[in-house]
Structure formats: structure tokens, C-alpha cells
Amino acid sequence: MMKSALRLSVLAAAVSAFTFAAQAKNPMVGGAAMYPTKDIVQNAMNSKDHTTLVAAVKAAGLVSTLESKGPFTVFAPTNEAFSELPAGTVDTLLKPENKAQLTKVLTCHVVAADAMAKTVAKMIKADGGEHDIKTVGGCVLKAKESMGKITLTDENGDVAHVTIADVKQSNGVIHVVDKVLLPKM
């Protein structure tokens, strides 16, 4: 009986260590662990750096979409990125009467594929240094790579840098970006 209990304890410790090691591969975002077993919305809700994005996703009615099977690649702007928009922009976009515009902005951050940074870098290289990424919102982002870092240029010429890449989700991947990517208005 004692040997069985000891074996169970050793087995539980081994499973715990394996689970921790598997989770440790995913980067921390906004001070929170990002679990590859959780979906995009579940993980984003835990990031203190993405509260504005989560509020916007809720206001646009995109929660169920981003909780679905996917796969999706989300270029996730931080709260700081949203704060760099002109004063009042976020508050205006969050109003119910601006839901269509908010949805357009948010879906210009989403790609219907699971694109890890290494894959994006290969596409950039194959296309001679710049790769067009078509988003769910119909925007075209220009991806470039320099010194191992990926940048995205929106339709207005504004450049976002991927600050944290390859945050694996159960339904895709998140790449944290430092700028809100806007469609041509």
C-alpha cells in the first residue's frame, strides 16, 4: 500500500513537471501565463496588457468567433498601442453605433490561418523581402523581417512591430504588436 502511494506521488510529480515544462515554452504576456490549451479569448482575458483589446472584441461581438476552432493568427495590440491613437478614438469606436467600424479595425488584425513567426519569415524571404498578408477584415498588411523581428505595415503606412511572437493558442497563435493596424479609411 505504501509503495503504491509512493509510486502515485512520483507519477503525479512527473506529470506536473512535464505540464510545467510544456507550458513554460509559451511566453508570458501581460504578466500572465499563456496556455496553449486555452483559446485566444481565454488567454487574452488574462493579459493585463490587453484589456482594451478584450473590451473591443466584446463590444464588436467577436468573442464567439475568436473562441471557435479557427485556426486564427491574431496580431494583438497592447493597451499602450491603443492609447497612441488620437484622443477619444477608442471611446468612439466602443460605442454601439460604431460597431461596424470597430469590427473592421479588429478583423484587420486577424488572419484565418495558424502562422507562426518562422512561417511568416519564410514567406517574406520567398517573396523577396516583403509578404502581403490578407486579413479576415479584407485589409492587406505588408510583412517584413529585419534582424529576426517582424514588422507589419498597415494600409495607411503605419508600422507595427511584433514584440512577442508565437504565443500558441488552442485555436491558433497570437503575436503581440505595438501599434493598432488600421484599414484605409
Side-chain angles (χ1 to χ4, degrees):
M1 183 76 148
M2 188 71 145
K3 285 183 182 180
S4 286
L6 184 58
R7 282 187 198 133
L8 279 176
S9 287
V10 169
L11 180 62
V15 168
S16 227
F18 176 76
T19 302
F20 178 76
Q23 292 169 352
K25 291 180 182 177
N26 233 6
M28 299 277 286
V29 176
M34 297 286 112
Y35 299 101
T37 55
K38 292 186 176 184
D39 66 46
I40 290 165
V41 174
Q42 291 170 325
N43 275 321
M45 288 174 57
N46 290 326
S47 168
K48 68 179 177 18
D49 291 345
H50 290 90
T51 56
T52 304
L53 178 61
V54 170
V57 166
K58 288 177 181 179
L62 294 173
V63 170
S64 61
T65 300
L66 293 176
E67 287 177 331
S68 70
K69 186 176 178 179
F72 301 107
T73 296
V74 176
F75 298 107
T78 61
N79 295 341
E80 187 175 330
F82 277 102
S83 73
E84 290 176 11
L85 292 171
T89 301
V90 173
D91 291 335
T92 300
L93 285 171
L94 291 175
K95 291 180 180 178
E97 62 268 23
N98 297 320
K99 184 177 178 180
Q101 187 178 10
L102 175 62
T103 300
K104 176 74 171 176
V105 168
L106 293 176
T107 57
C108 282
H109 291 82
V110 180
V111 180
D114 188 347
M116 300 296 277
K118 188 181 279 188
T119 304
V120 174
K122 284 180 185 176
M123 291 186 282
I124 292 167
K125 186 175 182 180
D127 287 351
E130 183 176 277
H131 178 73
D132 287 352
I133 297 175
K134 184 152 183 174
T135 68
V136 172
C139 299
V140 176
L141 305 175
K142 305 260 183 214
K144 294 182 183 178
E145 189 264 334
S146 176
M147 298 171 36
K149 297 286 185 179
I150 293 175
T151 62
L152 303 163
T153 303
D154 67 18
E155 296 175 339
N156 300 294
D158 293 320
V159 179
H161 299 85
V162 174
T163 58
I164 302 174
D166 298 339
V167 186
K168 191 72 179 131
Q169 315 291 295
S170 65
N171 60 344
V173 62
I174 289 175
H175 301 291
V176 178
V177 294
D178 64 356
K179 186 168 280 303
V180 177
L181 301 160
L182 297 171
K184 192 82 167 164
M185 299 287 189

